[in-house]
Amino acid sequence: MAPVRARDAERDAILAALTPVVDGIAATFGPMGEVVLHDYRRPEGSVVAVAGSVTGRSVGGAMSEIGMRMLACGDDAADELNYLTRTGNGTLVKSSTMVLRDSTGAVFGALCVNVDVTAVGRAHTLLGALAGLGTGPAEPPTTTFGNDIDSVVEAIVDAHQLRQQRGWAQLDREERLGLFRDLDARGVFAVRRAVEQVAGRLGISRASAYSYLSQSRTTTDPTSAGGTA
């Protein structure tokens, strides 16, 4: 247990050292900026420091879909820089997510910078229209930011079903397994009680959800190269 305690102490020290940096970066960007420090050891309450209010986060809040995806990547997670997303209320956000590693190279958190560029996006669209440049860039994906992990999990499940344009009852076995693979790859099942929550959202039993998750992890995706049904 001593090595585990030493590793946790090191990670705690890194987070403590970065906490004042959060305020400094946010002050640099002004009211349009937000900086969030995450501890991935606690997905349901990963936010350990926050400055700014672009996404409405608060200390003790849950990680977003982006954080859950990084959590699923484990130590293979990489920085994601200057990407665009949109919040549920329509705010256009330019973000960078930089993973935190301990001295062994293990990923345990992230420092995220979010900048509200809604006004910039509107100006870009207006100038493009005036210049006759046609349509603007592709619409960025909507990302659920919330202090409640349950709302994030539900949004991911609902988005998957919306893409399928069919409910659970209309999916065949391979499509159902594909749904669970996708949710697993997005880090959903790294969250405590997520299997039960997904089951409730899909209207299936908890036993069925555990069964589909197990099967999705032990069978090959038939859509992948060389895959079999």
Side-chain angles (χ1 to χ4, degrees), residues 72-161:
C73 291
D75 295 340
D76 292 328
D79 294 347
E80 295 188 17
L81 307 176
N82 294 326
Y83 57 89
L84 287 176
T85 188
R86 194 177 291 279
T87 67
N89 65 7
T91 302
L92 184 63
V93 181
K94 181 180 180 181
S95 303
S96 289
T97 300
M98 295 148 284
V99 297
L100 304 179
R101 299 178 185 273
D102 60 25
S103 59
T104 69
V107 172
F108 70 94
L111 180 66
C112 304
V113 179
N114 302 310
V115 181
D116 182 350
V117 293
T118 307
V120 176
R122 289 172 181 162
H124 181 275
T125 300
L126 175 60
L127 292 172
L130 290 173
L133 299 180
T135 59
E139 180 68 15
T142 298
T143 299
T144 300
F145 296 96
N147 290 313
D148 177 11
I149 195 67
D150 292 348
S151 64
V152 177
V153 171
E154 289 175 0
I156 296 174
V157 174
D158 292 348
H160 191 290
Q161 290 198 292

Side-chain angles (χ1 to χ4, degrees), residues 5 23 27 35 37 61 64 87 104 132 136 194 196 218 229:
R5 285 196 296 270
D23 291 319
V35 184
L37 183 62
S64 70
T87 67
T104 69
E196 292 86 341
T218 57

